[in-house]
Coordinates of all heavy atoms in Angstrom, one line a residue:
M1 N 162.2 128.9 51.0 CA 162.1 129.9 52.1 C 160.6 130.2 52.4 O 159.8 130.4 51.5 CB 162.8 131.2 51.7 CG 163.6 131.8 52.8 SD 164.7 133.1 52.2 CE 163.5 134.5 52.0
Q2 N 160.3 130.3 53.6 CA 158.9 130.5 54.0 C 158.6 132.0 54.1 O 159.4 132.8 54.6 CB 158.7 129.9 55.4 CG 157.2 129.6 55.6 CD 156.9 129.1 57.0 OE1 157.8 128.8 57.7 NE2 155.6 129.0 57.3
E3 N 157.5 132.4 53.5 CA 157.1 133.8 53.4 C 156.5 134.2 54.7 O 155.6 133.5 55.2 CB 156.2 134.0 52.2 CG 156.1 135.5 51.8 CD 155.1 135.7 50.8 OE1 154.6 134.8 50.1 OE2 154.7 136.9 50.6
F4 N 156.9 135.3 55.2 CA 156.3 135.8 56.4 C 155.1 136.7 56.1 O 155.2 137.7 55.3 CB 157.3 136.7 57.2 CG 156.7 137.3 58.4 CD1 156.4 136.6 59.5 CD2 156.5 138.7 58.4 CE1 155.8 137.2 60.6 CE2 156.0 139.3 59.5 CZ 155.6 138.6 60.6
I5 N 153.9 136.3 56.6 CA 152.7 137.1 56.4 C 152.3 137.8 57.6 O 152.0 137.2 58.6 CB 151.6 136.2 55.9 CG1 152.0 135.4 54.6 CG2 150.3 137.0 55.6 CD1 151.1 134.3 54.3
P6 N 152.4 139.1 57.6 CA 152.0 139.9 58.8 C 150.5 139.7 59.1 O 149.7 139.8 58.2 CB 152.3 141.3 58.5 CG 152.7 141.4 57.1 CD 152.7 140.0 56.5
H7 N 150.1 139.5 60.3 CA 148.7 139.4 60.7 C 148.4 140.6 61.7 O 149.2 141.0 62.4 CB 148.5 138.1 61.5 CG 148.3 137.0 60.5 ND1 149.3 136.6 59.7 CD2 147.3 136.1 60.3 CE1 148.9 135.5 58.9 NE2 147.7 135.2 59.3
R8 N 147.1 141.0 61.6 CA 146.7 142.1 62.5 C 145.3 141.7 63.0 O 144.6 140.9 62.5 CB 146.6 143.4 61.8 CG 147.9 144.0 61.3 CD 148.7 144.4 62.5 NE 150.0 145.1 62.1 CZ 151.1 144.4 61.9 NH1 151.2 143.1 62.0 NH2 152.2 145.1 61.5
K9 N 145.0 142.4 64.1 CA 143.7 142.1 64.8 C 142.6 143.1 64.4 O 142.9 144.3 64.4 CB 143.8 142.1 66.3 CG 142.6 141.6 67.0 CD 142.9 141.1 68.4 CE 143.1 142.3 69.4 NZ 143.3 141.9 70.8
C10 N 141.5 142.7 64.0 CA 140.3 143.5 63.6 C 139.8 144.2 64.9 O 139.6 143.5 65.9 CB 139.2 142.7 63.0 SG 137.7 143.6 62.8
V11 N 139.6 145.5 64.9 CA 139.1 146.2 66.0 C 137.6 146.0 66.3 O 137.1 146.4 67.3 CB 139.4 147.8 66.0 CG1 140.8 148.1 66.0 CG2 138.7 148.4 64.7
G12 N 137.0 145.3 65.3 CA 135.5 145.0 65.5 C 135.3 143.6 66.1 O 135.0 143.5 67.3
C13 N 135.6 142.6 65.3 CA 135.3 141.2 65.7 C 136.5 140.6 66.5 O 136.4 139.5 67.1 CB 135.0 140.3 64.6 SG 136.3 140.1 63.4
M14 N 137.6 141.3 66.6 CA 138.9 140.9 67.3 C 139.5 139.7 66.7 O 140.4 139.1 67.4 CB 138.5 140.7 68.8 CG 138.0 141.9 69.5 SD 139.0 143.3 69.2 CE 139.0 144.1 70.8
S15 N 139.2 139.3 65.5 CA 139.8 138.1 65.0 C 141.1 138.5 64.3 O 141.3 139.7 63.8 CB 138.9 137.3 64.0 OG 138.5 138.1 63.0
I16 N 142.1 137.6 64.2 CA 143.4 137.9 63.7 C 143.4 137.4 62.2 O 143.1 136.3 62.0 CB 144.5 137.3 64.5 CG1 144.3 137.8 66.0 CG2 145.9 137.6 64.0 CD1 145.4 138.0 66.9
K17 N 143.8 138.3 61.3 CA 143.8 138.0 59.9 C 145.0 138.5 59.2 O 145.6 139.5 59.7 CB 142.5 138.6 59.3 CG 141.2 138.0 59.7 CD 140.1 138.5 58.9 CE 138.8 137.8 59.4 NZ 137.7 138.2 58.6
P18 N 145.3 138.0 58.0 CA 146.4 138.6 57.3 C 146.2 140.0 57.0 O 145.0 140.4 56.7 CB 146.4 137.8 56.0 CG 145.8 136.5 56.3 CD 144.7 136.8 57.4
K19 N 147.2 140.9 57.3 CA 147.1 142.3 57.1 C 146.4 142.8 55.8 O 145.6 143.7 55.8 CB 148.5 142.8 57.2 CG 148.6 144.2 57.7 CD 150.1 144.5 57.8 CE 150.4 145.8 57.2 NZ 151.8 146.2 57.2
K20 N 146.7 142.1 54.7 CA 146.2 142.5 53.4 C 144.7 142.3 53.3 O 144.1 142.8 52.4 CB 147.0 141.9 52.3 CG 147.0 140.4 52.2 CD 147.8 140.0 51.0 CE 147.8 138.4 51.0 NZ 148.6 137.9 49.9
E21 N 144.1 141.4 54.2 CA 142.7 141.2 54.1 C 141.9 142.2 54.9 O 140.7 142.2 54.9 CB 142.4 139.8 54.6 CG 142.7 138.7 53.6 CD 142.4 137.3 54.2 OE1 141.6 137.2 55.1 OE2 143.1 136.4 53.7
L22 N 142.7 143.0 55.6 CA 142.0 144.0 56.5 C 142.2 145.4 55.9 O 143.0 145.7 55.1 CB 142.6 144.0 57.9 CG 142.5 142.6 58.6 CD1 143.5 142.6 59.8 CD2 141.1 142.4 59.1
L23 N 141.3 146.3 56.4 CA 141.4 147.7 56.0 C 142.2 148.5 57.1 O 141.9 148.3 58.3 CB 140.0 148.3 55.8 CG 139.9 149.7 55.3 CD1 140.4 149.8 53.9 CD2 138.5 150.2 55.4
R24 N 143.2 149.3 56.6 CA 144.0 150.0 57.6 C 143.4 151.4 57.8 O 143.1 152.1 56.8 CB 145.4 150.1 57.2 CG 146.3 150.8 58.2 CD 147.8 150.6 57.8 NE 148.6 151.1 58.9 CZ 149.3 152.3 58.8 NH1 149.3 153.0 57.7 NH2 150.1 152.7 59.8
I25 N 143.3 151.8 59.1 CA 142.9 153.2 59.4 C 144.1 153.8 60.1 O 144.7 153.1 60.9 CB 141.7 153.2 60.4 CG1 140.6 152.2 60.0 CG2 141.2 154.6 60.6 CD1 139.9 152.5 58.7
V26 N 144.5 154.9 59.6 CA 145.7 155.5 60.2 C 145.4 156.9 60.8 O 144.6 157.7 60.3 CB 146.8 155.6 59.1 CG1 146.5 156.5 58.0 CG2 148.1 155.9 59.7
R27 N 146.1 157.1 61.9 CA 146.1 158.4 62.5 C 147.4 159.1 62.2 O 148.5 158.6 62.5 CB 145.9 158.2 64.1 CG 146.0 159.5 64.8 CD 146.0 159.2 66.3 NE 146.6 160.3 67.1 CZ 147.0 160.2 68.3 NH1 146.8 159.1 69.0 NH2 147.5 161.2 68.9
T28 N 147.3 160.3 61.6 CA 148.5 161.1 61.3 C 148.3 162.5 61.9 O 147.3 162.7 62.6 CB 148.6 161.3 59.7 OG1 147.6 162.2 59.3 CG2 148.4 160.0 59.0
D29 N 149.3 163.3 61.7 CA 149.3 164.7 62.2 C 148.1 165.4 61.6 O 147.6 166.4 62.2 CB 150.5 165.4 61.8 CG 151.8 164.8 62.4 OD1 151.7 164.0 63.3 OD2 152.9 165.1 61.9
K30 N 147.7 165.0 60.4 CA 146.6 165.7 59.7 C 145.2 165.2 60.0 O 144.2 165.7 59.5 CB 146.9 165.8 58.2 CG 148.1 166.5 57.8 CD 148.3 166.5 56.3 CE 149.6 167.1 55.9 NZ 150.7 166.2 56.1
G31 N 145.1 164.1 60.8 CA 143.9 163.5 61.1 C 143.8 162.0 60.8 O 144.8 161.4 60.7
I32 N 142.6 161.5 60.7 CA 142.4 160.1 60.6 C 142.1 159.8 59.1 O 141.2 160.5 58.5 CB 141.2 159.6 61.4 CG1 141.3 160.1 62.9 CG2 141.1 158.1 61.4 CD1 142.2 159.4 63.7
F33 N 142.7 158.8 58.6 CA 142.5 158.5 57.1 C 142.2 157.0 56.9 O 142.7 156.2 57.8 CB 143.7 158.9 56.3 CG 143.9 160.3 56.3 CD1 144.8 160.9 57.2 CD2 143.3 161.2 55.4 CE1 145.0 162.3 57.2 CE2 143.5 162.5 55.4 CZ 144.4 163.1 56.3
I34 N 141.5 156.7 55.9 CA 141.4 155.3 55.4 C 142.6 155.0 54.5 O 142.8 155.7 53.5 CB 140.1 155.1 54.6 CG1 138.9 155.4 55.5 CG2 140.1 153.6 54.1 CD1 137.6 155.5 54.6
D35 N 143.5 154.2 55.0 CA 144.8 153.9 54.3 C 144.7 152.7 53.5 O 145.1 151.6 53.9 CB 145.9 153.8 55.4 CG 147.3 153.6 54.7 OD1 147.4 153.9 53.5 OD2 148.2 153.2 55.5
S36 N 144.0 152.8 52.3 CA 143.8 151.6 51.5 C 145.0 150.9 51.0 O 145.0 149.7 50.7 CB 142.8 151.9 50.4 OG 143.3 152.9 49.6
K37 N 146.1 151.7 50.9 CA 147.4 151.1 50.4 C 148.2 150.6 51.5 O 149.3 150.0 51.3 CB 148.2 152.1 49.6 CG 147.5 152.4 48.2 CD 148.4 153.4 47.5 CE 147.6 153.8 46.2 NZ 148.3 155.0 45.6
Q38 N 147.8 150.9 52.8 CA 148.5 150.4 54.0 C 150.0 151.0 54.0 O 150.9 150.2 54.3 CB 148.5 148.9 54.1 CG 147.1 148.4 54.1 CD 147.0 147.0 54.6 OE1 148.0 146.3 54.8 NE2 145.8 146.5 54.9
K39 N 150.2 152.2 53.5 CA 151.5 152.7 53.4 C 151.7 154.0 54.2 O 152.9 154.5 54.2 CB 151.8 152.9 51.9 CG 152.1 151.6 51.2 CD 152.9 151.9 49.9 CE 153.6 150.7 49.4 NZ 152.8 149.5 49.2
M40 N 150.6 154.6 54.7 CA 150.8 155.9 55.3 C 151.5 155.8 56.7 O 151.2 154.9 57.4 CB 149.4 156.6 55.5 CG 148.9 157.2 54.2 SD 147.2 157.8 54.4 CE 147.5 159.3 55.2
P41 N 152.4 156.7 57.0 CA 153.0 156.7 58.3 C 152.0 157.1 59.3 O 151.2 158.0 59.1 CB 154.2 157.6 58.1 CG 153.8 158.6 57.1 CD 152.9 157.8 56.1
G42 N 152.2 156.6 60.5 CA 151.3 156.9 61.6 C 150.8 155.7 62.4 O 151.2 154.6 62.0
R43 N 150.0 156.0 63.4 CA 149.5 154.9 64.2 C 148.3 154.2 63.4 O 147.4 154.9 63.1 CB 149.0 155.5 65.5 CG 148.7 154.4 66.5 CD 148.2 155.1 67.8 NE 147.9 154.0 68.8 CZ 148.8 153.5 69.7 NH1 150.0 154.1 69.8 NH2 148.5 152.6 70.5
G44 N 148.4 152.9 63.2 CA 147.4 152.3 62.5 C 146.5 151.4 63.3 O 146.9 150.8 64.3
A45 N 145.3 151.2 62.8 CA 144.3 150.2 63.3 C 143.8 149.4 62.2 O 143.7 150.0 61.0 CB 143.2 150.9 64.1
Y46 N 143.3 148.2 62.4 CA 142.8 147.4 61.3 C 141.4 146.9 61.6 O 141.0 146.7 62.7 CB 143.8 146.2 61.1 CG 145.1 146.6 60.6 CD1 146.1 147.1 61.5 CD2 145.4 146.6 59.2 CE1 147.3 147.5 61.0 CE2 146.7 147.0 58.8 CZ 147.6 147.4 59.7 OH 148.8 147.8 59.2
I47 N 140.7 146.8 60.5 CA 139.3 146.3 60.6 C 139.0 145.5 59.3 O 139.5 145.7 58.2 CB 138.3 147.5 60.7 CG1 136.9 147.0 61.0 CG2 138.3 148.4 59.5 CD1 136.0 148.1 61.5
C48 N 138.2 144.4 59.5 CA 137.8 143.6 58.4 C 137.0 144.5 57.4 O 136.4 145.5 57.8 CB 136.8 142.5 58.8 SG 137.5 141.4 60.0
K49 N 137.0 144.1 56.1 CA 136.2 144.9 55.1 C 134.8 144.4 55.2 O 134.3 143.8 54.3 CB 136.8 144.7 53.8 CG 138.2 145.3 53.7 CD 139.0 144.8 52.4 CE 140.4 145.3 52.4 NZ 141.2 144.8 51.4
D50 N 134.2 144.7 56.3 CA 132.9 144.2 56.6 C 132.1 145.2 57.5 O 132.6 145.7 58.5 CB 133.0 142.9 57.4 CG 131.8 142.1 57.5 OD1 130.7 142.7 57.7 OD2 131.8 140.8 57.3
L51 N 130.9 145.5 57.0 CA 130.1 146.5 57.8 C 129.7 146.0 59.2 O 129.6 146.8 60.1 CB 128.8 146.8 57.0 CG 128.9 147.7 55.8 CD1 127.6 147.7 55.0 CD2 129.3 149.1 56.2
E52 N 129.6 144.7 59.4 CA 129.3 144.2 60.7 C 130.5 144.5 61.7 O 130.2 144.8 62.8 CB 129.1 142.6 60.6 CG 127.8 142.2 59.9 CD 126.6 142.9 60.6 OE1 126.4 142.9 61.8 OE2 125.8 143.5 59.8
C53 N 131.7 144.4 61.2 CA 132.8 144.7 62.0 C 132.9 146.2 62.3 O 133.3 146.6 63.4 CB 134.1 144.3 61.3 SG 134.3 142.5 61.4
L54 N 132.4 147.0 61.4 CA 132.4 148.5 61.6 C 131.4 148.8 62.7 O 131.7 149.5 63.6 CB 132.0 149.2 60.3 CG 131.9 150.7 60.5 CD1 133.1 151.4 61.0 CD2 131.4 151.3 59.1
K55 N 130.2 148.1 62.7 CA 129.2 148.3 63.7 C 129.8 147.9 65.1 O 129.6 148.6 66.1 CB 128.0 147.5 63.4 CG 127.1 148.1 62.4 CD 125.8 147.3 62.2 CE 125.2 147.5 60.8 NZ 124.3 146.4 60.4
L56 N 130.5 146.7 65.1 CA 131.0 146.3 66.4 C 132.1 147.2 66.9 O 132.2 147.5 68.1 CB 131.7 144.9 66.1 CG 130.8 143.7 66.2 CD1 131.6 142.4 65.7 CD2 130.3 143.4 67.6
A57 N 132.9 147.7 66.0 CA 134.0 148.7 66.3 C 133.4 150.0 66.9 O 133.9 150.5 67.9 CB 134.9 149.0 65.1
M58 N 132.3 150.4 66.3 CA 131.6 151.6 66.8 C 131.1 151.4 68.2 O 131.2 152.2 69.1 CB 130.5 152.0 65.9 CG 131.0 152.7 64.6 SD 129.6 152.9 63.4 CE 128.9 154.4 64.0
K59 N 130.5 150.2 68.4 CA 129.9 149.9 69.7 C 130.9 149.8 70.8 O 130.8 150.3 71.9 CB 129.1 148.6 69.5 CG 127.9 148.4 70.4 CD 127.1 147.2 70.0 CE 127.0 146.2 71.1 NZ 126.2 145.0 70.6
K60 N 132.0 149.1 70.4 CA 133.1 148.9 71.4 C 134.1 150.0 71.5 O 135.1 149.9 72.2 CB 133.8 147.6 71.1 CG 132.9 146.4 71.3 CD 133.7 145.1 71.3 CE 134.0 144.6 69.9 NZ 134.5 143.2 69.8
K61 N 134.0 151.0 70.6 CA 134.9 152.0 70.5 C 136.3 151.5 70.2 O 137.3 152.0 70.7 CB 134.9 153.0 71.7 CG 133.6 153.7 71.9 CD 133.8 154.9 72.8 CE 132.5 155.7 72.9 NZ 132.1 156.4 71.7
G62 N 136.4 150.4 69.4 CA 137.7 149.8 69.1 C 138.7 150.7 68.4 O 139.9 150.6 68.7
L63 N 138.2 151.5 67.5 CA 139.1 152.4 66.8 C 139.6 153.4 67.7 O 140.8 153.8 67.7 CB 138.4 153.0 65.6 CG 138.3 152.3 64.3 CD1 137.5 153.1 63.3 CD2 139.7 152.0 63.7
E64 N 138.7 154.0 68.5 CA 139.2 155.0 69.5 C 140.3 154.5 70.4 O 141.3 155.2 70.6 CB 138.0 155.5 70.3 CG 137.1 156.5 69.7 CD 135.9 155.9 69.0 OE1 135.9 154.8 68.6 OE2 134.9 156.7 68.9
K65 N 140.0 153.3 70.9 CA 141.0 152.7 71.8 C 142.3 152.4 71.2 O 143.4 152.6 71.7 CB 140.4 151.4 72.4 CG 139.4 151.7 73.5 CD 138.8 150.4 74.0 CE 137.5 150.7 74.9 NZ 136.6 149.5 75.0
S66 N 142.2 151.9 70.0 CA 143.4 151.5 69.3 C 144.2 152.7 68.8 O 145.5 152.7 68.9 CB 143.0 150.7 68.1 OG 144.1 150.1 67.5
L67 N 143.5 153.7 68.3 CA 144.3 154.9 67.8 C 144.4 156.0 68.9 O 145.1 157.0 68.7 CB 143.5 155.5 66.6 CG 143.4 154.6 65.4 CD1 142.5 155.3 64.3 CD2 144.8 154.3 64.8
K68 N 143.8 155.8 70.0 CA 143.9 156.8 71.2 C 143.4 158.2 70.7 O 144.1 159.1 70.9 CB 145.3 156.8 71.8 CG 145.7 155.4 72.3 CD 146.9 155.5 73.1 CE 147.5 154.2 73.4 NZ 146.6 153.2 74.0
V69 N 142.3 158.2 70.1 CA 141.8 159.5 69.6 C 140.3 159.4 69.5 O 139.7 158.3 69.3 CB 142.4 159.8 68.2 CG1 141.9 159.0 67.1 CG2 142.3 161.3 67.9
N70 N 139.6 160.5 69.5 CA 138.1 160.5 69.3 C 137.8 160.4 67.8 O 138.5 161.1 67.0 CB 137.5 161.7 69.9 CG 137.3 161.7 71.4 OD1 137.1 160.6 71.9 ND2 137.5 162.8 72.1
I71 N 136.9 159.6 67.4 CA 136.5 159.4 66.0 C 135.2 160.1 65.8 O 134.2 159.8 66.5 CB 136.5 158.0 65.6 CG1 137.7 157.2 66.1 CG2 136.2 157.8 64.1 CD1 138.7 156.8 65.1
S72 N 135.1 161.0 64.8 CA 133.9 161.7 64.6 C 132.9 160.8 63.9 O 133.2 159.8 63.2 CB 134.2 163.0 63.8 OG 134.6 162.6 62.5
K73 N 131.6 161.2 64.0 CA 130.5 160.5 63.3 C 130.8 160.6 61.8 O 130.5 159.6 61.1 CB 129.2 161.2 63.7 CG 128.0 160.4 63.4 CD 126.8 161.0 64.0 CE 125.5 160.5 63.5 NZ 125.1 161.1 62.2
D74 N 131.3 161.7 61.3 CA 131.6 161.9 59.9 C 132.6 160.8 59.4 O 132.4 160.3 58.3 CB 132.2 163.3 59.7 CG 131.2 164.4 59.7 OD1 130.0 164.1 59.9 OD2 131.6 165.6 59.6
F75 N 133.6 160.5 60.2 CA 134.6 159.6 59.8 C 133.9 158.2 59.7 O 134.2 157.4 58.7 CB 135.8 159.5 60.7 CG 136.9 158.6 60.1 CD1 137.7 159.0 59.1 CD2 137.0 157.3 60.6 CE1 138.6 158.1 58.6 CE2 137.9 156.4 60.1 CZ 138.8 156.8 59.1
Y76 N 133.1 157.8 60.7 CA 132.4 156.5 60.6 C 131.5 156.4 59.4 O 131.4 155.4 58.8 CB 131.6 156.3 61.9 CG 132.4 155.9 63.1 CD1 132.4 156.6 64.3 CD2 133.1 154.7 63.0 CE1 133.1 156.1 65.4 CE2 133.9 154.2 64.1 CZ 133.9 154.9 65.3 OH 134.6 154.5 66.3
E77 N 130.9 157.6 59.1 CA 130.0 157.6 57.9 C 130.8 157.4 56.6 O 130.4 156.6 55.7 CB 129.2 158.9 57.8 CG 128.0 158.8 58.7 CD 127.3 160.1 58.9 OE1 127.7 161.1 58.2 OE2 126.4 160.2 59.8
K78 N 132.0 158.0 56.6 CA 132.9 157.9 55.5 C 133.4 156.4 55.3 O 133.5 155.8 54.2 CB 134.1 158.8 55.7 CG 135.0 159.0 54.5 CD 136.0 160.0 54.8 CE 137.2 159.9 53.8 NZ 138.3 160.9 54.2
L79 N 133.7 155.8 56.5 CA 134.2 154.5 56.5 C 133.1 153.5 56.0 O 133.3 152.5 55.3 CB 134.6 154.1 57.9 CG 135.5 152.9 58.2 CD1 136.7 153.0 57.3 CD2 135.9 152.9 59.6
E80 N 131.9 153.8 56.5 CA 130.7 152.9 56.1 C 130.5 153.0 54.6 O 130.3 152.0 53.9 CB 129.5 153.4 56.8 CG 128.3 152.5 56.6 CD 127.1 152.9 57.4 OE1 127.2 153.7 58.3 OE2 126.0 152.5 57.0
E81 N 130.6 154.2 54.0 CA 130.5 154.4 52.6 C 131.6 153.7 51.8 O 131.3 153.1 50.8 CB 130.6 156.0 52.3 CG 130.1 156.4 51.0 CD 130.5 157.8 50.7 OE1 130.6 158.6 51.6 OE2 130.7 158.1 49.5
F82 N 132.8 153.8 52.4 CA 133.9 153.1 51.8 C 133.7 151.6 51.7 O 133.9 151.0 50.7 CB 135.2 153.4 52.6 CG 136.4 152.8 52.0 CD1 137.2 153.5 51.1 CD2 136.9 151.6 52.4 CE1 138.3 152.9 50.5 CE2 138.0 151.0 51.9 CZ 138.8 151.7 50.9
L83 N 133.2 151.0 52.8 CA 133.0 149.6 52.9 C 131.9 149.2 51.9 O 132.0 148.1 51.3 CB 132.7 149.1 54.3 CG 133.9 149.2 55.3 CD1 133.4 148.9 56.7 CD2 135.0 148.2 54.9
K84 N 130.9 150.0 51.8 CA 129.8 149.7 50.9 C 130.3 149.7 49.4 O 129.9 148.9 48.6 CB 128.6 150.7 51.0 CG 127.8 150.4 52.2 CD 126.7 151.4 52.4 CE 125.8 151.2 53.6 NZ 125.1 152.3 54.0
K85 N 131.2 150.7 49.1 CA 131.7 150.8 47.8 C 132.7 149.6 47.5 O 132.7 149.1 46.4 CB 132.4 152.1 47.6 CG 131.5 153.2 47.4 CD 132.2 154.5 47.0 CE 131.2 155.6 46.8 NZ 131.8 156.9 46.5
L86 N 133.4 149.2 48.5 CA 134.3 148.0 48.4 C 133.5 146.8 47.9 O 134.0 145.9 47.2 CB 135.0 147.7 49.7 CG 136.4 148.3 49.9 CD1 136.9 147.6 51.2 CD2 137.3 148.1 48.8
A87 N 132.3 146.7 48.4 CA 131.5 145.5 48.1 C 131.0 145.5 46.6 O 130.7 144.5 46.1 CB 130.2 145.5 49.0
V88 N 131.2 146.7 46.0 CA 130.8 146.8 44.6 C 132.1 146.4 43.8 O 133.2 147.1 44.0 CB 130.3 148.2 44.2 CG1 130.0 148.3 42.7 CG2 129.1 148.5 45.0
K89 N 132.0 145.5 42.9 CA 133.2 144.9 42.3 C 134.0 145.9 41.5 O 135.2 145.9 41.4 CB 132.7 143.8 41.3 CG 133.7 142.7 41.2 CD 133.1 141.6 40.3 CE 134.3 140.7 39.7 NZ 133.8 139.8 38.7
S90 N 133.3 146.9 40.8 CA 134.0 147.8 40.0 C 134.8 148.9 40.7 O 135.6 149.6 40.2 CB 133.0 148.5 39.0 OG 132.1 149.2 39.8
F91 N 134.5 149.0 42.0 CA 135.2 150.0 42.8 C 136.7 149.8 43.0 O 137.1 148.7 43.4 CB 134.5 150.2 44.2 CG 135.1 151.2 45.0 CD1 135.1 152.6 44.7 CD2 135.8 150.9 46.2 CE1 135.7 153.5 45.5 CE2 136.3 151.8 47.0 CZ 136.3 153.1 46.7
D92 N 137.5 150.7 42.7 CA 138.9 150.6 42.8 C 139.4 151.3 44.1 O 139.4 152.5 44.1 CB 139.6 151.2 41.6 CG 141.1 151.1 41.6 OD1 141.6 150.4 42.6 OD2 141.8 151.5 40.7
A93 N 139.7 150.5 45.1 CA 140.1 151.1 46.4 C 141.4 151.9 46.3 O 141.6 152.8 47.1 CB 140.3 150.0 47.4
E94 N 142.2 151.7 45.3 CA 143.4 152.4 45.2 C 143.2 154.0 44.9 O 144.1 154.7 45.2 CB 144.3 151.9 44.0 CG 144.7 150.5 44.2 CD 145.7 150.4 45.3 OE1 146.7 151.1 45.3 OE2 145.6 149.5 46.2
V95 N 142.1 154.3 44.3 CA 141.9 155.7 44.0 C 141.1 156.5 45.1 O 140.8 157.7 44.9 CB 141.2 155.9 42.6 CG1 142.0 155.3 41.5 CG2 139.8 155.3 42.6
W96 N 140.8 155.8 46.1 CA 140.0 156.5 47.2 C 140.9 157.6 47.9 O 142.0 157.3 48.2 CB 139.6 155.5 48.2 CG 138.8 156.1 49.3 CD1 139.2 156.5 50.5 CD2 137.4 156.3 49.3 NE1 138.2 157.0 51.3 CE2 137.0 156.9 50.6 CE3 136.3 156.0 48.4 CZ2 135.7 157.2 50.9 CZ3 135.0 156.3 48.8 CH2 134.8 157.0 50.0
E97 N 140.3 158.7 48.1 CA 141.0 159.8 48.8 C 140.3 160.1 50.1 O 139.1 160.3 50.1 CB 141.0 161.1 48.0 CG 141.6 160.8 46.6 CD 142.9 161.5 46.3 OE1 143.3 162.2 47.2 OE2 143.3 161.4 45.2
Ligands
LIG101 ZN1 136.4 141.9 61.9

């Protein structure tokens, strides 16, 4: 049996990649979150785990367009920090809040 692998488009570089290789950003009733487990309900957008893609997404307002909401500078900073930590091997994305 062939396994179905869901693919999603990065809001930065626009390339299509397997969902699990991307970082999910979710819009919920309580605001915007980094959904590292890809399990939170809400409208989601995906981005490569790459700072270059974050820069592109900011420039093109890819996240705003995809989630149909304004994204604060604070959230972008949080996302940037998250991606920088992801680059460090010891960082466990599962415990991120
Ligand atoms: Zn990308």
Side-chain angles (χ1 to χ4, degrees):
M1 220 168 79
Q2 203 182 352
E3 200 188 344
F4 174 72
I5 303 167
H7 281 62
R8 291 293 183 274
K9 190 159 80 175
C10 167
V11 293
C13 64
M14 301 310 220
S15 58
I16 306 210
K17 294 189 176 182
K19 211 174 128 182
K20 61 180 178 182
E21 285 179 22
L22 299 165
L23 182 66
R24 183 170 187 254
I25 312 297
V26 67
R27 175 188 156 191
T28 72
D29 297 345
K30 298 183 185 78
I32 312 280
F33 297 93
I34 298 167
D35 182 19
S36 57
K37 287 181 187 169
Q38 306 196 344
K39 285 200 163 48
M40 284 173 79
R43 191 183 178 92
Y46 293 81
I47 188 165
C48 304
K49 295 168 184 170
D50 193 317
L51 285 170
E52 290 305 310
C53 287
L54 176 60
K55 280 183 203 161
L56 278 170
M58 284 171 80
K59 211 166 120 184
K60 292 192 280 197
K61 296 196 176 293
L63 275 179
E64 277 96 334
K65 281 177 195 160
S66 190
L67 297 175
K68 302 192 190 307
V69 71
N70 283 324
I71 312 251
S72 68
K73 197 170 164 280
D74 283 358
F75 185 79
Y76 278 123
E77 278 168 10
K78 191 175 160 184
L79 200 51
E80 189 180 340
E81 193 191 333
F82 182 89
L83 290 174
K84 279 178 184 163
K85 284 189 179 175
L86 263 190
V88 180
K89 216 179 160 188
S90 63
F91 179 66
D92 182 2
E94 295 292 310
V95 299
W96 182 268
E97 307 243 4

